[in-house]
Short mmCIF file of all heavy atoms in Angstrom, two decimals:
data_model
loop_
_atom_site.label_atom_id
_atom_site.label_comp_id
_atom_site.label_asym_id
_atom_site.label_seq_id
_atom_site.Cartn_x
_atom_site.Cartn_y
_atom_site.Cartn_z
N MET E 1 -13.91 -20.38 -26.22
CA MET E 1 -13.79 -19.02 -25.77
C MET E 1 -13.32 -18.98 -24.27
O MET E 1 -13.98 -19.52 -23.48
CB MET E 1 -15.17 -18.31 -25.90
CG MET E 1 -15.18 -16.94 -25.41
SD MET E 1 -16.83 -16.18 -25.52
CE MET E 1 -17.05 -16.17 -27.31
N PRO E 2 -12.20 -18.39 -24.05
CA PRO E 2 -11.71 -18.35 -22.71
C PRO E 2 -12.52 -17.48 -21.80
O PRO E 2 -12.74 -16.35 -22.12
CB PRO E 2 -10.33 -17.86 -22.83
CG PRO E 2 -10.30 -17.03 -24.07
CD PRO E 2 -11.32 -17.65 -24.96
N MET E 3 -13.02 -18.03 -20.74
CA MET E 3 -13.88 -17.20 -19.83
C MET E 3 -13.29 -17.29 -18.41
O MET E 3 -14.00 -16.90 -17.48
CB MET E 3 -15.28 -17.74 -19.86
CG MET E 3 -16.01 -17.23 -21.12
SD MET E 3 -16.03 -15.57 -21.60
CE MET E 3 -16.95 -14.86 -20.13
N GLU E 4 -12.14 -17.75 -18.28
CA GLU E 4 -11.51 -17.77 -16.97
C GLU E 4 -10.40 -16.79 -16.98
O GLU E 4 -9.73 -16.60 -17.98
CB GLU E 4 -10.89 -19.21 -16.66
CG GLU E 4 -11.93 -20.24 -16.46
CD GLU E 4 -12.68 -19.99 -15.14
OE1 GLU E 4 -12.00 -19.77 -14.14
OE2 GLU E 4 -13.90 -20.14 -15.11
N PRO E 5 -10.10 -16.21 -15.88
CA PRO E 5 -8.96 -15.25 -15.77
C PRO E 5 -7.66 -15.90 -16.19
O PRO E 5 -7.45 -17.06 -15.86
CB PRO E 5 -8.93 -14.87 -14.25
CG PRO E 5 -10.32 -14.97 -13.84
CD PRO E 5 -10.88 -16.17 -14.58
N GLU E 6 -6.88 -15.19 -16.94
CA GLU E 6 -5.68 -15.75 -17.46
C GLU E 6 -4.56 -15.93 -16.53
O GLU E 6 -3.70 -16.82 -16.53
CB GLU E 6 -5.18 -14.94 -18.66
CG GLU E 6 -4.16 -15.60 -19.47
CD GLU E 6 -3.78 -14.75 -20.75
OE1 GLU E 6 -3.44 -13.52 -20.58
OE2 GLU E 6 -3.85 -15.31 -21.85
N ARG E 7 -4.63 -15.04 -15.55
CA ARG E 7 -3.57 -15.04 -14.55
C ARG E 7 -4.11 -15.06 -13.11
O ARG E 7 -5.17 -14.67 -12.90
CB ARG E 7 -2.72 -13.80 -14.66
CG ARG E 7 -2.25 -13.50 -16.02
CD ARG E 7 -1.63 -12.12 -16.03
NE ARG E 7 -1.29 -11.69 -17.33
CZ ARG E 7 -0.35 -10.79 -17.60
NH1 ARG E 7 0.34 -10.29 -16.58
NH2 ARG E 7 -0.06 -10.47 -18.80
N ASP E 8 -3.31 -15.51 -12.21
CA ASP E 8 -3.65 -15.39 -10.78
C ASP E 8 -3.31 -13.98 -10.28
O ASP E 8 -4.00 -13.53 -9.31
CB ASP E 8 -3.03 -16.46 -9.95
CG ASP E 8 -3.53 -17.79 -10.35
OD1 ASP E 8 -4.70 -17.88 -10.68
OD2 ASP E 8 -2.80 -18.74 -10.21
N ARG E 9 -2.22 -13.42 -10.74
CA ARG E 9 -1.63 -12.17 -10.18
C ARG E 9 -1.27 -11.27 -11.38
O ARG E 9 -0.99 -11.71 -12.50
CB ARG E 9 -0.44 -12.45 -9.42
CG ARG E 9 -0.66 -13.40 -8.28
CD ARG E 9 0.69 -13.63 -7.60
NE ARG E 9 1.27 -12.37 -7.10
CZ ARG E 9 1.09 -11.84 -5.91
NH1 ARG E 9 0.46 -12.53 -5.01
NH2 ARG E 9 1.67 -10.69 -5.63
N CYS E 10 -1.25 -10.01 -11.01
CA CYS E 10 -0.69 -9.03 -11.98
C CYS E 10 0.84 -8.90 -11.84
O CYS E 10 1.41 -9.82 -11.10
CB CYS E 10 -1.38 -7.65 -11.69
SG CYS E 10 -1.02 -6.84 -10.17
N LEU E 11 1.41 -7.96 -12.41
CA LEU E 11 2.77 -7.87 -12.50
C LEU E 11 3.47 -7.28 -11.18
O LEU E 11 4.68 -7.30 -11.04
CB LEU E 11 3.28 -7.13 -13.74
CG LEU E 11 2.81 -7.74 -15.06
CD1 LEU E 11 3.33 -6.82 -16.24
CD2 LEU E 11 3.30 -9.11 -15.27
N LEU E 12 2.67 -6.70 -10.40
CA LEU E 12 3.15 -6.10 -9.17
C LEU E 12 3.52 -7.15 -8.16
O LEU E 12 2.78 -8.11 -8.04
CB LEU E 12 2.16 -5.11 -8.63
CG LEU E 12 1.69 -4.04 -9.54
CD1 LEU E 12 0.61 -3.19 -8.90
CD2 LEU E 12 2.84 -3.15 -9.95
N THR E 13 4.69 -7.00 -7.58
CA THR E 13 5.02 -8.04 -6.60
C THR E 13 4.29 -7.96 -5.32
O THR E 13 3.85 -8.93 -4.70
CB THR E 13 6.54 -7.96 -6.23
OG1 THR E 13 6.91 -6.60 -6.02
CG2 THR E 13 7.39 -8.45 -7.49
N GLU E 14 4.07 -6.68 -4.84
CA GLU E 14 3.24 -6.44 -3.61
C GLU E 14 1.91 -5.82 -4.06
O GLU E 14 1.87 -4.62 -4.22
CB GLU E 14 3.98 -5.50 -2.73
CG GLU E 14 5.39 -6.02 -2.27
CD GLU E 14 5.26 -6.97 -1.14
OE1 GLU E 14 4.31 -6.90 -0.43
OE2 GLU E 14 6.14 -7.82 -1.00
N CYS E 15 0.96 -6.69 -4.21
CA CYS E 15 -0.34 -6.17 -4.78
C CYS E 15 -1.45 -6.58 -3.88
O CYS E 15 -1.71 -7.76 -3.73
CB CYS E 15 -0.54 -6.64 -6.14
SG CYS E 15 -2.08 -6.01 -6.83
N GLU E 16 -2.08 -5.60 -3.22
CA GLU E 16 -3.13 -5.92 -2.34
C GLU E 16 -4.31 -6.65 -2.95
O GLU E 16 -4.82 -7.64 -2.46
CB GLU E 16 -3.57 -4.54 -1.62
CG GLU E 16 -4.77 -4.71 -0.71
CD GLU E 16 -4.31 -5.41 0.57
OE1 GLU E 16 -3.09 -5.46 0.90
OE2 GLU E 16 -5.23 -5.92 1.31
N PRO E 17 -4.81 -6.16 -4.05
CA PRO E 17 -5.93 -6.82 -4.70
C PRO E 17 -5.65 -8.21 -5.12
O PRO E 17 -6.54 -9.13 -5.14
CB PRO E 17 -6.31 -5.94 -5.88
CG PRO E 17 -5.71 -4.63 -5.61
CD PRO E 17 -4.49 -4.89 -4.83
N CYS E 18 -4.41 -8.53 -5.37
CA CYS E 18 -4.05 -9.93 -5.86
C CYS E 18 -3.89 -10.74 -4.60
O CYS E 18 -4.15 -11.96 -4.61
CB CYS E 18 -2.83 -9.89 -6.67
SG CYS E 18 -3.01 -9.33 -8.34
N GLN E 19 -3.40 -10.23 -3.53
CA GLN E 19 -3.18 -11.05 -2.30
C GLN E 19 -4.49 -11.31 -1.60
O GLN E 19 -4.70 -12.29 -0.99
CB GLN E 19 -2.16 -10.35 -1.40
CG GLN E 19 -0.70 -10.44 -1.92
CD GLN E 19 0.23 -9.50 -1.19
OE1 GLN E 19 -0.19 -8.70 -0.41
NE2 GLN E 19 1.51 -9.67 -1.51
N ASN E 20 -5.37 -10.31 -1.67
CA ASN E 20 -6.67 -10.46 -1.01
C ASN E 20 -7.74 -10.07 -2.00
O ASN E 20 -8.29 -8.95 -2.00
CB ASN E 20 -6.67 -9.46 0.16
CG ASN E 20 -5.68 -9.84 1.20
OD1 ASN E 20 -5.69 -10.88 1.80
ND2 ASN E 20 -4.77 -8.89 1.52
N PRO E 21 -8.06 -11.04 -2.92
CA PRO E 21 -9.09 -10.69 -3.94
C PRO E 21 -10.30 -10.32 -3.22
O PRO E 21 -10.89 -10.99 -2.35
CB PRO E 21 -9.16 -12.03 -4.68
CG PRO E 21 -7.89 -12.70 -4.46
CD PRO E 21 -7.50 -12.30 -3.05
N GLY E 22 -10.90 -9.21 -3.75
CA GLY E 22 -12.17 -8.71 -3.17
C GLY E 22 -13.25 -8.75 -4.29
O GLY E 22 -13.71 -9.77 -4.66
N GLU E 23 -13.60 -7.48 -4.76
CA GLU E 23 -14.54 -7.40 -5.73
C GLU E 23 -14.13 -7.96 -7.07
O GLU E 23 -12.94 -7.72 -7.37
CB GLU E 23 -15.03 -5.98 -5.88
CG GLU E 23 -15.72 -5.39 -4.65
CD GLU E 23 -17.04 -6.06 -4.41
OE1 GLU E 23 -17.87 -6.12 -5.30
OE2 GLU E 23 -17.20 -6.56 -3.26
N PRO E 24 -15.02 -8.61 -7.85
CA PRO E 24 -14.60 -8.92 -9.21
C PRO E 24 -14.42 -7.63 -10.03
O PRO E 24 -15.04 -6.50 -9.74
CB PRO E 24 -15.69 -9.74 -9.77
CG PRO E 24 -16.81 -9.52 -8.87
CD PRO E 24 -16.24 -9.05 -7.48
N CYS E 25 -13.48 -7.65 -10.95
CA CYS E 25 -13.20 -6.49 -11.79
C CYS E 25 -14.49 -6.05 -12.48
O CYS E 25 -15.20 -6.73 -13.05
CB CYS E 25 -12.16 -6.80 -12.82
SG CYS E 25 -11.82 -5.55 -14.06
N ARG E 26 -14.62 -4.69 -12.30
CA ARG E 26 -15.94 -4.09 -12.87
C ARG E 26 -15.95 -4.01 -14.35
O ARG E 26 -16.95 -3.94 -15.01
CB ARG E 26 -16.29 -2.85 -12.22
CG ARG E 26 -15.54 -1.64 -12.86
CD ARG E 26 -15.78 -0.35 -11.98
NE ARG E 26 -14.72 -0.20 -11.10
CZ ARG E 26 -14.01 0.93 -10.87
NH1 ARG E 26 -14.43 2.02 -11.63
NH2 ARG E 26 -13.03 1.00 -10.08
N PHE E 27 -14.73 -3.99 -14.92
CA PHE E 27 -14.61 -3.88 -16.39
C PHE E 27 -14.76 -5.22 -17.10
O PHE E 27 -15.25 -5.27 -18.22
CB PHE E 27 -13.22 -3.31 -16.72
CG PHE E 27 -13.13 -1.93 -16.22
CD1 PHE E 27 -12.40 -1.72 -15.03
CD2 PHE E 27 -13.54 -0.87 -16.93
CE1 PHE E 27 -12.22 -0.39 -14.52
CE2 PHE E 27 -13.37 0.48 -16.43
CZ PHE E 27 -12.73 0.69 -15.29
N CYS E 28 -14.48 -6.29 -16.46
CA CYS E 28 -14.60 -7.63 -17.11
C CYS E 28 -15.45 -8.57 -16.32
O CYS E 28 -15.55 -9.74 -16.70
CB CYS E 28 -13.24 -8.21 -17.38
SG CYS E 28 -12.38 -8.62 -15.82
N SER E 29 -16.10 -8.06 -15.32
CA SER E 29 -16.98 -8.95 -14.44
C SER E 29 -16.23 -10.13 -13.87
O SER E 29 -16.87 -11.14 -13.60
CB SER E 29 -18.19 -9.42 -15.23
OG SER E 29 -18.92 -8.34 -15.83
N GLY E 30 -14.95 -9.95 -13.68
CA GLY E 30 -14.15 -10.95 -13.06
C GLY E 30 -13.71 -12.11 -14.01
O GLY E 30 -13.10 -13.06 -13.55
N THR E 31 -14.01 -11.91 -15.20
CA THR E 31 -13.65 -12.97 -16.24
C THR E 31 -12.17 -12.87 -16.66
O THR E 31 -11.51 -13.83 -17.11
CB THR E 31 -14.49 -13.01 -17.42
OG1 THR E 31 -14.23 -11.86 -18.21
CG2 THR E 31 -15.89 -13.17 -17.07
N GLY E 32 -11.53 -11.64 -16.49
CA GLY E 32 -10.25 -11.35 -16.94
C GLY E 32 -10.22 -11.11 -18.46
O GLY E 32 -9.12 -10.79 -19.01
N TRP E 33 -11.36 -11.06 -19.08
CA TRP E 33 -11.44 -10.79 -20.53
C TRP E 33 -12.53 -9.78 -20.75
O TRP E 33 -13.45 -9.71 -20.09
CB TRP E 33 -11.75 -12.01 -21.38
CG TRP E 33 -10.71 -13.08 -21.18
CD1 TRP E 33 -10.56 -14.03 -20.26
CD2 TRP E 33 -9.64 -13.28 -22.14
NE1 TRP E 33 -9.47 -14.81 -20.54
CE2 TRP E 33 -8.85 -14.37 -21.59
CE3 TRP E 33 -9.21 -12.65 -23.38
CZ2 TRP E 33 -7.68 -14.80 -22.31
CZ3 TRP E 33 -8.07 -13.08 -23.97
CH2 TRP E 33 -7.33 -14.18 -23.48
N TRP E 34 -12.21 -8.92 -21.69
CA TRP E 34 -13.26 -7.98 -22.17
C TRP E 34 -13.38 -8.03 -23.62
O TRP E 34 -12.51 -8.48 -24.39
CB TRP E 34 -13.00 -6.61 -21.61
CG TRP E 34 -11.80 -5.88 -22.20
CD1 TRP E 34 -10.86 -6.36 -23.01
CD2 TRP E 34 -11.47 -4.51 -22.03
NE1 TRP E 34 -9.87 -5.39 -23.30
CE2 TRP E 34 -10.33 -4.22 -22.72
CE3 TRP E 34 -12.16 -3.40 -21.35
CZ2 TRP E 34 -9.72 -2.96 -22.78
CZ3 TRP E 34 -11.56 -2.15 -21.34
CH2 TRP E 34 -10.37 -1.92 -22.05
N ARG E 35 -14.51 -7.63 -24.07
CA ARG E 35 -14.86 -7.69 -25.51
C ARG E 35 -15.27 -6.29 -25.99
O ARG E 35 -16.44 -6.16 -26.19
CB ARG E 35 -15.87 -8.75 -25.72
CG ARG E 35 -15.35 -10.16 -25.68
CD ARG E 35 -16.27 -11.27 -25.97
NE ARG E 35 -17.19 -11.40 -24.80
CZ ARG E 35 -16.93 -12.02 -23.68
NH1 ARG E 35 -15.76 -12.50 -23.52
NH2 ARG E 35 -17.76 -12.09 -22.67
N PRO E 36 -14.27 -5.50 -26.25
CA PRO E 36 -14.66 -4.20 -26.86
C PRO E 36 -15.01 -4.36 -28.33
O PRO E 36 -14.64 -5.41 -28.88
CB PRO E 36 -13.37 -3.34 -26.61
CG PRO E 36 -12.25 -4.41 -26.66
CD PRO E 36 -12.84 -5.61 -25.99
N GLU E 37 -15.59 -3.42 -28.87
CA GLU E 37 -15.77 -3.41 -30.36
C GLU E 37 -14.75 -2.45 -30.92
O GLU E 37 -14.57 -1.37 -30.46
CB GLU E 37 -17.16 -2.96 -30.67
CG GLU E 37 -18.21 -3.94 -30.21
CD GLU E 37 -19.61 -3.53 -30.67
OE1 GLU E 37 -19.85 -2.34 -30.84
OE2 GLU E 37 -20.49 -4.49 -30.90
N SER E 38 -14.09 -2.98 -31.98
CA SER E 38 -13.11 -2.10 -32.65
C SER E 38 -13.61 -1.83 -34.09
O SER E 38 -14.14 -2.78 -34.72
CB SER E 38 -11.73 -2.72 -32.63
OG SER E 38 -11.67 -3.89 -33.40
N PRO E 39 -13.33 -0.69 -34.59
CA PRO E 39 -13.81 -0.36 -35.89
C PRO E 39 -12.98 -1.02 -37.03
O PRO E 39 -11.81 -1.04 -36.93
CB PRO E 39 -13.70 1.18 -36.04
CG PRO E 39 -12.62 1.47 -35.05
CD PRO E 39 -12.65 0.45 -33.96
N ARG E 40 -13.68 -1.52 -38.05
CA ARG E 40 -12.98 -2.09 -39.26
C ARG E 40 -13.58 -1.36 -40.39
O ARG E 40 -14.73 -1.20 -40.55
CB ARG E 40 -13.19 -3.61 -39.35
CG ARG E 40 -12.66 -4.43 -38.23
CD ARG E 40 -11.13 -4.59 -38.40
NE ARG E 40 -10.53 -4.91 -37.08
CZ ARG E 40 -10.57 -6.09 -36.54
NH1 ARG E 40 -11.19 -7.00 -37.06
NH2 ARG E 40 -9.94 -6.24 -35.27
N ARG E 41 -12.72 -0.90 -41.33
CA ARG E 41 -13.17 -0.32 -42.47
C ARG E 41 -13.01 -1.29 -43.65
O ARG E 41 -11.93 -1.79 -43.93
CB ARG E 41 -12.30 0.97 -42.80
CG ARG E 41 -12.82 1.81 -43.85
CD ARG E 41 -11.88 2.89 -44.14
NE ARG E 41 -11.64 3.86 -43.08
CZ ARG E 41 -12.34 5.03 -42.96
NH1 ARG E 41 -13.24 5.36 -43.91
NH2 ARG E 41 -12.11 5.81 -41.99
N ASP E 42 -14.05 -1.45 -44.44
CA ASP E 42 -13.98 -2.40 -45.54
C ASP E 42 -13.56 -1.67 -46.82
O ASP E 42 -13.28 -0.46 -46.81
CB ASP E 42 -15.33 -3.16 -45.73
CG ASP E 42 -16.40 -2.31 -46.17
OD1 ASP E 42 -16.17 -1.18 -46.68
OD2 ASP E 42 -17.63 -2.73 -46.15
N GLU E 43 -13.52 -2.39 -48.00
CA GLU E 43 -12.98 -1.75 -49.15
C GLU E 43 -13.80 -0.64 -49.69
O GLU E 43 -13.42 0.16 -50.42
CB GLU E 43 -12.74 -2.79 -50.23
CG GLU E 43 -13.98 -3.55 -50.78
CD GLU E 43 -14.38 -4.75 -49.85
OE1 GLU E 43 -13.84 -4.81 -48.78
OE2 GLU E 43 -15.14 -5.54 -50.42
N ASN E 44 -15.13 -0.54 -49.27
CA ASN E 44 -15.99 0.55 -49.68
C ASN E 44 -15.87 1.71 -48.76
O ASN E 44 -16.55 2.71 -48.94
CB ASN E 44 -17.43 0.06 -49.79
CG ASN E 44 -17.56 -1.07 -50.78
OD1 ASN E 44 -17.03 -0.97 -51.87
ND2 ASN E 44 -18.25 -2.08 -50.45
N GLY E 45 -15.01 1.66 -47.73
CA GLY E 45 -14.95 2.74 -46.78
C GLY E 45 -16.00 2.75 -45.71
O GLY E 45 -16.11 3.62 -44.94
N VAL E 46 -16.71 1.63 -45.71
CA VAL E 46 -17.79 1.54 -44.64
C VAL E 46 -17.17 0.94 -43.42
O VAL E 46 -16.46 -0.07 -43.41
CB VAL E 46 -18.91 0.60 -45.17
CG1 VAL E 46 -19.99 0.51 -44.11
CG2 VAL E 46 -19.53 1.15 -46.49
N ILE E 47 -17.46 1.66 -42.31
CA ILE E 47 -16.95 1.21 -41.03
C ILE E 47 -17.93 0.32 -40.38
O ILE E 47 -19.06 0.63 -40.25
CB ILE E 47 -16.62 2.44 -40.12
CG1 ILE E 47 -15.42 3.22 -40.76
CG2 ILE E 47 -16.25 1.95 -38.74
CD1 ILE E 47 -15.08 4.48 -40.00
N SER E 48 -17.44 -0.79 -39.98
CA SER E 48 -18.24 -1.78 -39.22
C SER E 48 -17.58 -1.99 -37.92
O SER E 48 -16.32 -1.85 -37.80
CB SER E 48 -18.57 -3.09 -40.01
OG SER E 48 -17.34 -3.65 -40.32
N TRP E 49 -18.34 -2.42 -36.95
CA TRP E 49 -17.73 -2.73 -35.64
C TRP E 49 -17.59 -4.21 -35.44
O TRP E 49 -18.54 -4.96 -35.59
CB TRP E 49 -18.58 -2.10 -34.54
CG TRP E 49 -18.57 -0.59 -34.65
CD1 TRP E 49 -19.35 0.24 -35.41
CD2 TRP E 49 -17.63 0.29 -34.00
NE1 TRP E 49 -18.92 1.53 -35.28
CE2 TRP E 49 -17.94 1.61 -34.39
CE3 TRP E 49 -16.60 0.10 -33.06
CZ2 TRP E 49 -17.18 2.76 -33.86
CZ3 TRP E 49 -15.93 1.29 -32.57
CH2 TRP E 49 -16.27 2.47 -33.03
N VAL E 50 -16.37 -4.54 -35.02
CA VAL E 50 -16.10 -6.00 -34.82
C VAL E 50 -15.74 -6.21 -33.42
O VAL E 50 -14.97 -5.46 -32.85
CB VAL E 50 -14.97 -6.46 -35.77
CG1 VAL E 50 -14.59 -7.86 -35.56
CG2 VAL E 50 -15.30 -6.19 -37.22
N ARG E 51 -16.39 -7.20 -32.90
CA ARG E 51 -16.09 -7.50 -31.46
C ARG E 51 -14.78 -8.27 -31.37
O ARG E 51 -14.71 -9.32 -32.03
CB ARG E 51 -17.31 -8.23 -30.85
CG ARG E 51 -17.38 -8.14 -29.31
CD ARG E 51 -18.76 -8.61 -28.89
NE ARG E 51 -19.77 -7.61 -28.95
CZ ARG E 51 -19.92 -6.62 -28.11
NH1 ARG E 51 -19.07 -6.46 -27.01
NH2 ARG E 51 -20.90 -5.74 -28.26
N VAL E 52 -13.92 -7.80 -30.53
CA VAL E 52 -12.72 -8.50 -30.35
C VAL E 52 -12.59 -8.94 -28.82
O VAL E 52 -13.26 -8.37 -27.97
CB VAL E 52 -11.48 -7.58 -30.74
CG1 VAL E 52 -11.51 -7.26 -32.18
CG2 VAL E 52 -11.42 -6.33 -29.86
N GLU E 53 -11.73 -9.84 -28.60
CA GLU E 53 -11.58 -10.32 -27.23
C GLU E 53 -10.20 -10.07 -26.80
O GLU E 53 -9.24 -10.52 -27.51
CB GLU E 53 -11.91 -11.77 -27.11
CG GLU E 53 -11.95 -12.30 -25.75
CD GLU E 53 -12.68 -13.61 -25.59
OE1 GLU E 53 -12.05 -14.65 -25.90
OE2 GLU E 53 -13.90 -13.65 -25.29
N GLU E 54 -10.01 -9.38 -25.71
CA GLU E 54 -8.64 -9.06 -25.23
C GLU E 54 -8.55 -9.32 -23.74
O GLU E 54 -9.57 -9.27 -23.04
CB GLU E 54 -8.42 -7.58 -25.43
CG GLU E 54 -8.36 -7.09 -26.85
CD GLU E 54 -8.15 -5.68 -27.00
OE1 GLU E 54 -8.28 -4.91 -25.96
OE2 GLU E 54 -7.86 -5.22 -28.11
N PRO E 55 -7.35 -9.57 -23.29
CA PRO E 55 -7.20 -9.63 -21.80
C PRO E 55 -7.56 -8.29 -21.18
O PRO E 55 -7.26 -7.26 -21.83
CB PRO E 55 -5.77 -9.91 -21.66
CG PRO E 55 -5.23 -10.47 -22.93
CD PRO E 55 -6.08 -9.92 -23.99
N CYS E 56 -8.19 -8.39 -20.08
CA CYS E 56 -8.64 -7.07 -19.47
C CYS E 56 -7.45 -6.28 -18.94
O CYS E 56 -6.67 -6.87 -18.12
CB CYS E 56 -9.59 -7.35 -18.31
SG CYS E 56 -10.17 -5.89 -17.47
N ARG E 57 -7.29 -5.09 -19.39
CA ARG E 57 -6.14 -4.23 -18.96
C ARG E 57 -6.34 -3.62 -17.61
O ARG E 57 -5.48 -3.20 -16.97
CB ARG E 57 -5.91 -3.10 -19.93
CG ARG E 57 -5.45 -3.61 -21.31
CD ARG E 57 -5.47 -2.40 -22.32
NE ARG E 57 -5.42 -3.03 -23.66
CZ ARG E 57 -4.30 -3.32 -24.27
NH1 ARG E 57 -3.19 -3.14 -23.75
NH2 ARG E 57 -4.38 -3.83 -25.53
N MET E 58 -7.55 -3.61 -17.17
CA MET E 58 -7.83 -2.93 -15.96
C MET E 58 -7.54 -3.76 -14.70
O MET E 58 -7.35 -3.21 -13.64
CB MET E 58 -9.32 -2.51 -15.89
CG MET E 58 -9.62 -1.55 -16.96
SD MET E 58 -8.70 -0.06 -16.92
CE MET E 58 -9.07 0.68 -18.61
N CYS E 59 -7.41 -5.05 -14.88
CA CYS E 59 -7.11 -5.96 -13.82
C CYS E 59 -5.97 -6.95 -14.16
O CYS E 59 -5.66 -7.83 -13.46
CB CYS E 59 -8.25 -6.75 -13.35
SG CYS E 59 -8.93 -7.88 -14.64
N ALA E 60 -5.28 -6.59 -15.26
CA ALA E 60 -4.15 -7.40 -15.75
C ALA E 60 -4.66 -8.87 -16.04
O ALA E 60 -3.85 -9.78 -15.87
CB ALA E 60 -2.99 -7.37 -14.83
N SER E 61 -5.91 -9.01 -16.35
CA SER E 61 -6.51 -10.30 -16.70
C SER E 61 -6.52 -11.13 -15.54
O SER E 61 -6.52 -12.38 -15.61
CB SER E 61 -5.78 -10.96 -17.87
OG SER E 61 -6.59 -12.04 -18.34
N THR E 62 -6.58 -10.62 -14.29
CA THR E 62 -6.74 -11.42 -13.12
C THR E 62 -8.09 -11.59 -12.65
O THR E 62 -8.44 -12.50 -11.92
CB THR E 62 -6.00 -10.74 -11.92
OG1 THR E 62 -6.56 -9.49 -11.64
CG2 THR E 62 -4.45 -10.61 -12.22
N GLY E 63 -8.98 -10.69 -13.11
CA GLY E 63 -10.36 -10.79 -12.73
C GLY E 63 -10.69 -10.12 -11.37
O GLY E 63 -11.81 -10.08 -10.99
N ASN E 64 -9.63 -9.67 -10.67
CA ASN E 64 -9.77 -8.93 -9.47
C ASN E 64 -9.77 -7.44 -9.66
O ASN E 64 -8.92 -6.95 -10.27
CB ASN E 64 -8.67 -9.35 -8.50
CG ASN E 64 -8.55 -10.82 -8.15
OD1 ASN E 64 -9.64 -11.44 -8.06
ND2 ASN E 64 -7.44 -11.37 -8.01
N GLU E 65 -10.72 -6.85 -8.98
CA GLU E 65 -10.82 -5.39 -9.06
C GLU E 65 -9.51 -4.75 -8.52
O GLU E 65 -9.02 -5.10 -7.42
CB GLU E 65 -11.99 -4.89 -8.22
CG GLU E 65 -12.08 -3.44 -8.02
CD GLU E 65 -12.75 -2.77 -9.28
OE1 GLU E 65 -13.67 -3.37 -9.87
OE2 GLU E 65 -12.36 -1.63 -9.62
N HIS E 66 -8.98 -3.89 -9.32
CA HIS E 66 -7.79 -3.13 -8.96
C HIS E 66 -8.11 -1.71 -8.93
O HIS E 66 -8.43 -1.07 -9.89
CB HIS E 66 -6.61 -3.32 -9.97
CG HIS E 66 -5.83 -4.62 -9.73
ND1 HIS E 66 -6.45 -5.84 -9.84
CD2 HIS E 66 -4.57 -4.90 -9.43
CE1 HIS E 66 -5.60 -6.79 -9.56
NE2 HIS E 66 -4.39 -6.26 -9.40
N ASN E 67 -8.13 -1.22 -7.63
CA ASN E 67 -8.55 0.19 -7.50
C ASN E 67 -7.63 0.90 -6.50
O ASN E 67 -7.54 0.43 -5.34
CB ASN E 67 -10.01 0.20 -7.03
CG ASN E 67 -10.60 1.61 -7.23
OD1 ASN E 67 -10.04 2.47 -7.77
ND2 ASN E 67 -11.77 1.83 -6.57
N PRO E 68 -6.86 1.91 -6.85
CA PRO E 68 -6.89 2.54 -8.18
C PRO E 68 -6.19 1.66 -9.21
O PRO E 68 -5.38 0.85 -8.94
CB PRO E 68 -6.13 3.77 -8.01
CG PRO E 68 -5.17 3.47 -6.86
CD PRO E 68 -5.92 2.53 -5.96
N VAL E 69 -6.65 1.81 -10.43
CA VAL E 69 -6.11 1.09 -11.61
C VAL E 69 -4.71 1.57 -11.75
O VAL E 69 -4.38 2.76 -11.81
CB VAL E 69 -6.99 1.30 -12.87
CG1 VAL E 69 -6.26 0.67 -14.04
CG2 VAL E 69 -8.34 0.73 -12.67
N ARG E 70 -3.76 0.58 -11.88
CA ARG E 70 -2.36 0.96 -11.98
C ARG E 70 -1.93 0.46 -13.44
O ARG E 70 -2.66 -0.34 -14.01
CB ARG E 70 -1.55 0.19 -10.94
CG ARG E 70 -1.96 0.65 -9.59
CD ARG E 70 -1.39 -0.28 -8.55
NE ARG E 70 -2.16 -0.13 -7.32
CZ ARG E 70 -2.29 -1.11 -6.30
NH1 ARG E 70 -1.52 -2.16 -6.44
NH2 ARG E 70 -2.94 -0.87 -5.26
N PRO E 71 -0.81 0.89 -13.79
CA PRO E 71 -0.26 0.29 -15.01
C PRO E 71 0.12 -1.12 -14.85
O PRO E 71 1.05 -1.39 -14.19
CB PRO E 71 1.00 1.13 -15.31
CG PRO E 71 1.34 1.82 -14.01
CD PRO E 71 0.14 1.89 -13.16
N LEU E 72 -0.61 -1.97 -15.37
CA LEU E 72 -0.53 -3.43 -15.12
C LEU E 72 0.13 -4.19 -16.20
O LEU E 72 0.45 -5.40 -15.95
CB LEU E 72 -1.95 -3.97 -14.81
CG LEU E 72 -2.67 -3.32 -13.56
CD1 LEU E 72 -4.05 -3.88 -13.53
CD2 LEU E 72 -1.91 -3.63 -12.28
N PHE E 73 0.24 -3.64 -17.35
CA PHE E 73 0.92 -4.41 -18.43
C PHE E 73 2.18 -3.69 -18.76
O PHE E 73 2.30 -2.44 -18.71
CB PHE E 73 0.01 -4.44 -19.64
CG PHE E 73 -0.97 -5.51 -19.60
CD1 PHE E 73 -2.30 -5.31 -19.30
CD2 PHE E 73 -0.54 -6.91 -19.66
CE1 PHE E 73 -3.17 -6.41 -19.23
CE2 PHE E 73 -1.40 -7.92 -19.56
CZ PHE E 73 -2.80 -7.64 -19.32
ZN1 LIG T 267 -2.67 -7.02 -8.67
ZN1 LIG T 268 -10.79 -6.88 -15.55
#
């Protein structure tokens, strides 16, 4: 299970949070990954929640707090 930020920097060339990392991202706790739950419907129509792991969109998987959040992907 990857628990390290996937990237050092986001896609912005001039990015203050990436050049001077401050607070860890509040959405992923600085890991660069978040684990939301997404709904899955089985053949009986019963919805269950499955935990998935995705790169954190709020910090472009850098683990650095980006505030304000920008379009990073
Ligand atoms: Zn950045
Ligand atoms: Zn994050």
Side-chain angles (χ1 to χ4, degrees):
M1 179 180 297
M3 287 306 294
E4 290 292 313
E6 189 172 57
R7 311 173 185 204
D8 293 329
R9 302 177 55 94
C10 66
L11 299 180
L12 303 175
T13 49
E14 300 279 334
C15 181
E16 178 71 20
C18 286
Q19 285 166 355
N20 298 298
E23 295 295 306
C25 173
R26 83 189 93 132
F27 295 96
C28 64
S29 304
T31 63
W33 294 86
W34 68 350
R35 283 181 287 285
E37 290 186 331
S38 67
R40 296 283 156 78
R41 188 189 294 267
D42 69 14
E43 63 272 17
N44 299 317
V46 178
I47 294 177
S48 59
W49 293 86
V50 178
R51 199 166 281 278
V52 296
E53 189 163 82
E54 297 180 345
C56 178
R57 294 170 196 274
M58 299 302 166
C59 64
S61 197
T62 62
N64 298 324
E65 173 81 35
H66 280 60
N67 196 10
V69 175
R70 297 165 203 162
L72 300 173
F73 277 107

